[in-house]
Amino acid sequence: MTTRTTDVLIIGAGNAALCAAHAAREEGQSVLVLEAAPEQKSGGNSLFTAGATRIVHEGLESLKDLVDEDERHARSEVPAYSAADYRADLEKVTEGRNDSAMTETLVSNIAEDIRWLKGKGLSYRLMYERQAYERPDGSYLFWGGLHVGNVDGGEGLIRDHFRVAHESGIEIVYGARATDLLVEDDVVVGAAFESQGETHNVHARSTVIASGGFESSRQMRAEHMGEQWRHAVTRGTQYNTGTMLEAALRLGAAKGGDWTTCHATQWDAGFADNESNYEVTNRLTRQSYPLGILVNRDGRRFLDEGADFRNLTYAKYGKEVLLQPGAVAWQIFDAPLRPMLRSEEYEVPGVGEHIAGSIPELAKLTGIDAEGLNQTIAEFNDSIDDSAAFDPNVKDGRSAETSPPKSNWANPIRTAPYYAYPVTCGITFTFGGLKGDESARVLNTDGNPIKGLYACGEALGGLFSQNYPGGSGLAAGIVFGRIAGRSATH
């Protein structure tokens, strides 16, 4: 066994962890990062994201200091997204279960903190392919409050983070799985980790848990969220097994947030290697569902595909698919809708896709009950209120008054060829973590800080429950990661 020392120890190497590392390093502290994954698979769940980051801003003009130039800017409308909008969206999608103090910290700091990262060398852009449809006149209208993302998505985010870390003298140890916390006189003084079959210790003045939730552990998912969650597919890293959450709980740490729910989306059920795939990363998600309909094996719809903008519903709809027979469903589109689907998701080589010249043929190809599918589509088509014009950039009110209703973007499924994309539940991250204070210090069950211990990212619970607004996970990682890193230096 070897023992190393550092001022600040960061456990994990995703977006939140590296924000904590940057913040601690710029205070002049030595920083050591333990990353469970080998270098080629490092970056945690952040690597698997699209890089979308929900921030407060006042419109396109206010973003020009942040995002890379693009010739489309002159033809783009980017509505302002205020702190009040951010608070309202968090409260709406979590059904009021979001921690109010954490919410205020997030919305008050994200605009400044993302520019802090920009100043360190991270690159951002407007997310045309995900958050705006081109209009007939060649212009763009951004929607849903989520407008900014990293250049090259999650891969670009992590690449930039690691470059900044190496340039600033932050040491990263890959293939180092933290297993437990080291404690002396009720103070956390570092952690034990395993590497190449051997156990080692790191002694540190401060330790930051930034190693994610427990989404990669089928056992912990079943224990805390229900037995059915064993069957979810892990979208991101396989290394977020909750080990350090359990280590903190053994020390008397309090749970924070909702341990019974998670971020889970519709995920390609037909792709041959659809779990923790480091080559296609987030491109196996299927997020054009608001344009079409979603049916189960019986051919029945079971949710409102057009309830709201995609980035306010997608993280809860994975669970709805998990609850269907066989934990599978199909997204259905017809010929006029197919060109509107996201090419980066629906045109991946090997994508699960069925194409047919008729509805009965589509049912046969997919194994969906033919009678049920035919009846569902007929009832859906007949119930569409076509007095409202279809406009994917706004909640257009073009509804289908069937059961369940479709509130927006209802278009008939009637023109061959027909397309069906099988989806299952892809789990992204769990919402439950450790309870922290305003300095990201981990609190014990009596409400007192555990000396020497901090948390950020998915390991810090409290912001999300049931659902989350798209892009707020990376935003929270930035804000609370920076807080944890700065706090760990004092």
Side-chain angles (χ1 to χ4, degrees), residues 1-5 9 32 34 173-182 190-203:
M1 176 188 290
T2 61
T3 299
R4 306 187 59 174
T5 61
L9 172 63
L32 177 65
L34 296 180
V173 183
Y174 301 98
R177 189 177 72 88
T179 57
D180 209 349
L181 295 168
L182 304 179
F193 71 95
E194 293 179 350
S195 178
Q196 298 181 340
E198 296 183 357
T199 299
H200 309 273
N201 289 341
V202 178
H203 282 178

Side-chain angles (χ1 to χ4, degrees), residues 108-299:
S108 299
N109 288 280
I110 184 55
E112 175 188 343
D113 288 353
I114 196 171
R115 287 173 171 83
W116 167 68
L117 288 180
K118 169 76 171 181
K120 287 187 173 295
L122 275 70
S123 300
Y124 296 91
R125 58 184 286 270
L126 291 183
M127 302 190 72
Y128 282 92
E129 76 287 354
R130 298 181 68 86
Q131 296 301 143
Y133 291 98
E134 186 174 6
R135 296 187 286 196
D137 64 358
S139 65
Y140 296 85
L141 172 62
F142 280 78
W143 45 267
L146 179 56
H147 308 135
V148 173
N150 292 89
V151 172
D152 295 333
E155 294 178 24
L157 166 66
I158 291 303
R159 181 186 63 235
D160 288 350
H161 263 313
F162 281 144
R163 185 190 69 250
V164 173
H166 291 310
E167 289 174 353
S168 66
I170 294 169
E171 183 179 0
I172 302 173
V173 183
Y174 301 98
R177 189 177 72 88
T179 57
D180 209 349
L181 295 168
L182 304 179
V183 182
E184 295 178 4
D185 298 325
D186 295 326
V187 177
V188 173
V189 294
F193 71 95
E194 293 179 350
S195 178
Q196 298 181 340
E198 296 183 357
T199 299
H200 309 273
N201 289 341
V202 178
H203 282 178
R205 189 175 70 248
S206 298
T207 300
V208 181
I209 296 177
S211 49
F214 55 88
E215 58 273 5
S216 304
S217 168
R218 295 184 187 275
Q219 180 177 342
M220 286 189 70
R221 286 177 354 209
E223 176 184 353
H224 296 287
M225 299 194 298
E227 190 64 30
Q228 72 270 24
W229 286 99
R230 289 186 186 274
H231 305 294
V233 174
T234 303
R235 289 181 58 196
T237 177
Q238 69 265 52
Y239 296 97
N240 286 8
T241 56
T243 302
M244 297 314 294
L245 296 180
E246 293 184 317
L249 295 179
R250 287 195 297 270
L251 292 183
K255 290 181 178 179
D258 184 354
W259 280 62
T260 67
T261 64
C262 65
H263 177 306
T265 188
Q266 296 172 61
W267 195 245
D268 193 324
F271 194 84
D273 181 17
N274 69 351
E275 191 152 16
S276 298
N277 190 307
Y278 284 82
E279 293 185 8
V280 295
T281 63
N282 69 308
R283 287 177 290 163
L284 295 182
T285 190
R286 296 288 169 262
Q287 296 196 23
S288 291
Y289 63 89
L291 301 174
I293 62 172
L294 189 64
V295 302
N296 60 19
R297 279 181 171 173
D298 299 325

Side-chain angles (χ1 to χ4, degrees), residues 294-302 371-373 375-376 379:
L294 189 64
V295 302
N296 60 19
R297 279 181 171 173
D298 299 325
R300 304 300 182 187
R301 292 176 57 248
F302 52 92
E371 183 177 350
L373 181 61
Q375 182 180 352
T376 292
E379 291 177 354

Side-chain angles (χ1 to χ4, degrees), residues 14-90:
N15 174 61
L18 292 169
C19 286
H22 299 324
R25 184 61 183 149
E26 69 183 12
E27 295 291 327
Q29 304 294 294
S30 61
V31 179
L32 177 65
V33 175
L34 296 180
E35 166 63 301
E39 185 171 3
Q40 66 272 23
K41 292 185 175 182
S42 60
N45 272 345
S46 303
L47 179 73
F48 290 83
T49 70
T53 307
R54 184 173 293 263
I55 69 170
V56 172
H57 65 85
E58 297 176 359
L60 179 55
E61 194 63 31
S62 73
L63 293 171
K64 288 186 176 179
D65 68 319
L66 176 63
V67 299
D68 287 0
E69 290 186 14
D70 190 307
E71 59 87 16
R72 293 171 290 184
H73 286 180
R75 296 176 279 121
S76 301
E77 180 182 348
V78 183
Y81 190 68
S82 68
D85 294 330
Y86 212 143
R87 293 187 201 98
D89 281 340
L90 268 166

Side-chain angles (χ1 to χ4, degrees), residues 411-464:
N411 284 296
I413 309 294
R414 63 163 57 114
T415 305
Y418 301 96
Y419 299 82
Y421 297 89
V423 292
T424 188
C425 173
I427 184 169
T428 311
F429 67 91
T430 43
F431 290 152
L434 304 174
K435 187 172 182 59
D437 67 4
E438 68 280 359
S439 300
R441 296 180 297 182
V442 175
L443 302 178
N444 64 22
T445 53
D446 294 326
N448 299 314
I450 297 176
K451 294 180 180 179
L453 187 62
Y454 303 81
C456 59
E458 298 168 14
L460 182 66
L463 269 179
F464 310 126

